[in-house]
Amino acid sequence: QVQLVESGGALVQPGGSLRLSCVASGPISDIYTMAWYRHAPGKQREFVAAMSSIGIIDYHYTVRGRFTMSRDDAERTAYLQMNRLTVDDTAVYFCKGDLGSFSGPGMRTRADYWGHGTEVTVSS
């Protein structure tokens, strides 16, 4: 089945950088919008960034200028380069993919898929 797996989370000091990756696997036929969300302790899940299939990128205003999203569809991978991290960036980061998949002979299904998250902790 279709799966998304994030990696790259770690403990980093304020001002540091991390690069998150999200790899999609399974019977994928199309990759539409890929997005990153985060869930910090005591807060609701929050949109971070999204990139459409034609390269249009949107960022949450709190990360604009510090985070850069990219994707490599041939590798079925989305990335989130995070620079100048602050303690407020501490969260579990989730990848969401709007993906098409082969669901049967001549059939394709489009749905949103989520990864299980990767933990980012920014602390001195």
Side-chain angles (χ1 to χ4, degrees):
Q1 70 270 25
V2 174
Q3 288 186 324
L4 296 178
V5 178
E6 304 94 333
S7 63
L11 170 63
V12 63
Q13 291 187 340
S17 298
L18 282 176
R19 188 193 197 202
L20 305 183
S21 299
C22 169
V23 180
S25 63
I28 297 168
S29 60
D30 305 276
I31 302 175
Y32 301 102
T33 297
M34 297 293 292
W36 289 94
Y37 287 75
R38 65 187 179 186
H39 192 182
K43 298 182 180 179
Q44 290 189 330
R45 185 170 59 189
E46 175 182 75
F47 167 81
V48 176
M51 186 170 184
S52 74
S53 59
I54 59 172
I56 297 173
I57 308 174
D58 187 26
Y59 296 100
H60 191 272
Y61 75 95
T62 59
V63 307
R64 193 171 291 126
R66 300 188 298 122
F67 291 10
T68 302
M69 184 172 179
S70 60
R71 55 192 273 177
D72 182 341
D73 287 358
E75 297 294 327
R76 297 179 171 181
T77 303
Y79 302 96
L80 186 67
Q81 177 67 42
M82 306 188 295
N83 299 328
R84 290 184 281 136
L85 286 161
T86 73
V87 295
D88 290 335
D89 296 316
T90 295
V92 178
Y93 284 71
F94 296 88
C95 174
K96 187 181 87 169
D98 177 4
L99 306 174
S101 63
F102 297 106
S103 53
M107 296 178 60
R108 296 182 181 184
T109 300
R110 182 173 178 173
D112 285 339
Y113 296 88
W114 289 86
H116 292 293
T118 185
E119 188 169 3
V120 172
T121 303
V122 185
S123 175
S124 56

